[in-house]
Amino acid sequence: MPAKSIAVVSSFSSDDVSITDMCSEDLTQVTHIEQLAHISPWARLSFEESLNKEYCCRVLKVGDHIQGYHVCSAVLDELHILNVVCAPKQQGRGFGHALMSDIRTFAEQKQLKKIFLEVRASNTVAQSLYEKWGFKQIALRKKYYKPSPKNHEREDALVYLCEVG
């Protein structure tokens, strides 16, 4: 995985927005956002292991402040999106699209053919983002996710696929 920065061209405003490789110094901010954004958040150790496995781990920053991130794993000719998050207070600013663009660029550079992900059945905002990026639902995983505080039953995951190239 090349250590490089991708300048994000967007209509956010004049904010200093960049996407760079995640490093251990980023994990305090990343795990804070993770806690705010997820019903069942990853632990810091999960992010540390992802960095050590040389997954594609990237952060979106506005200035020095992380506002989103993604973690992906490439196997053979496939990419699996393991985690993609925007800080809840920053959602709706186009950062999700910037992260998806970064993921797509990585997949193309690695000549990967398919991108997979799972998303909670209740997460219609994320589903809409993925569908805008060409993802199609291909499967359903019954009771895949742990229960949320609002609903004490396990939640289904929708499995999405995007063909690259």
Side-chain angles (χ1 to χ4, degrees):
M1 167 178 56
K4 67 176 192 167
S5 175
I6 296 176
V8 179
V9 179
S10 68
S11 59
F12 307 131
S13 72
S14 62
D15 291 340
D16 178 23
V17 179
S18 63
I19 299 179
T20 60
D21 291 331
M22 185 185 297
C23 63
S24 59
E25 291 79 19
D26 296 327
L27 295 184
T28 298
Q29 288 185 66
V30 167
T31 54
H32 177 72
I33 293 168
E34 181 78 3
Q35 295 291 320
L36 296 173
H38 281 297
I39 295 166
S40 299
W42 282 20
R44 183 183 178 103
L45 180 60
S46 297
F47 289 103
E48 290 171 353
E49 290 173 348
S50 296
L51 290 174
N52 292 334
K53 291 180 180 177
E54 297 184 11
Y55 288 174
C56 178
C57 306
R58 310 265 288 163
V59 292
L60 181 147
K61 293 183 179 181
V62 177
D64 293 331
H65 300 286
I66 295 170
Q67 301 298 337
Y69 52 88
H70 68 75
V71 177
C72 301
S73 171
V75 178
L76 301 175
D77 65 347
E78 298 176 355
L79 185 68
H80 192 107
I81 300 174
L82 304 173
N83 202 341
V84 60
V85 176
C86 290
K89 290 184 179 180
Q90 300 300 323
Q91 291 176 358
R93 295 186 63 197
F95 295 155
H97 286 287
L99 290 166
M100 294 304 294
S101 177
D102 188 64
I103 291 167
R104 180 73 183 222
T105 298
F106 176 80
E108 289 170 351
Q109 288 173 345
K110 295 290 184 181
Q111 299 179 330
L112 304 174
K113 306 268 188 259
K114 298 177 183 179
I115 306 173
F116 291 92
L117 62 85
E118 292 92 16
V119 60
R120 282 183 180 269
S122 64
N123 193 346
T124 57
V125 172
Q127 292 166 33
S128 176
L129 173 69
Y130 303 141
E131 290 167 6
K132 288 176 184 171
W133 278 89
F135 284 82
K136 305 285 186 215
Q137 183 185 342
I138 60 164
L140 176 74
R141 293 192 177 150
K142 290 288 202 180
K143 300 181 181 185
Y144 181 78
Y145 289 107
K146 293 179 182 178
S148 72
K150 295 178 185 176
N151 181 356
H152 301 293
E153 295 182 22
R154 294 182 72 88
E155 188 171 354
D156 296 343
L158 307 180
V159 180
Y160 275 76
L161 165 68
C162 180
E163 304 278 344
V164 180

